[in-house]
Amino acid sequence: MPHVKKLTPNLVVSNVERSVAFYCDTLGFTLTQKVPDQSPLVFATVQSGDVEIFLNAPEPAIAEYPAFKSKPIGGTLTLFMEVEGIAPLHEALAGRVTVVMPLERKWYGVTEFAIVDPDGYVITFAER
């Protein structure tokens, strides 16, 4: 078996610019790559620390992965991000995002809350 070195979610989004704005302006990620250099974008990479996310427009993603054609954007994918300082993060996002799971300590000892991005992808923030 190969040694897996990294996992980068590759999200199909309805509008790359809107998703870049959400991940950068709301969640504090940095735009590290965009294709093309001006609007309308068909691809972008955002990053925060070691976490990297690819954002793809539907048309090129479907061209590369034809099985996506009949799939809804957002689906049932959950991005699980481990953070430090979950309470201040929760407070900073209050009123700016849609919270789908309140901040709470779970039975397994992790404090979590979850939000949705503009395309319905669920992002769970957790602190051990």
Side-chain angles (χ1 to χ4, degrees), residues 59-75:
E59 297 78 16
I62 291 168
E64 190 169 355
Y65 302 98
F68 286 175
K69 186 173 185 172
S70 62
K71 306 286 186 199
I73 292 176

Side-chain angles (χ1 to χ4, degrees), residues 16-92:
V16 175
E17 285 89 352
R18 180 181 72 173
S19 292
V20 167
F22 177 81
Y23 282 91
C24 292
D25 300 343
T26 305
L27 299 183
F29 279 67
T30 301
L31 176 64
T32 58
Q33 181 181 11
K34 61 182 178 174
V35 177
D37 286 333
Q38 65 281 346
S39 288
L41 300 180
V42 297
F43 176 83
T45 302
V46 294
Q47 188 165 353
S48 178
D50 292 333
V51 175
E52 179 180 63
I53 301 172
F54 294 161
L55 304 168
N56 271 281
E59 297 78 16
I62 291 168
E64 190 169 355
Y65 302 98
F68 286 175
K69 186 173 185 172
S70 62
K71 306 286 186 199
I73 292 176
T76 59
L77 174 74
T78 300
L79 300 176
F80 188 88
M81 296 188 195
E82 191 169 325
V83 299
E84 292 179 358
I86 197 163
L89 174 61
H90 183 264
E91 185 177 314

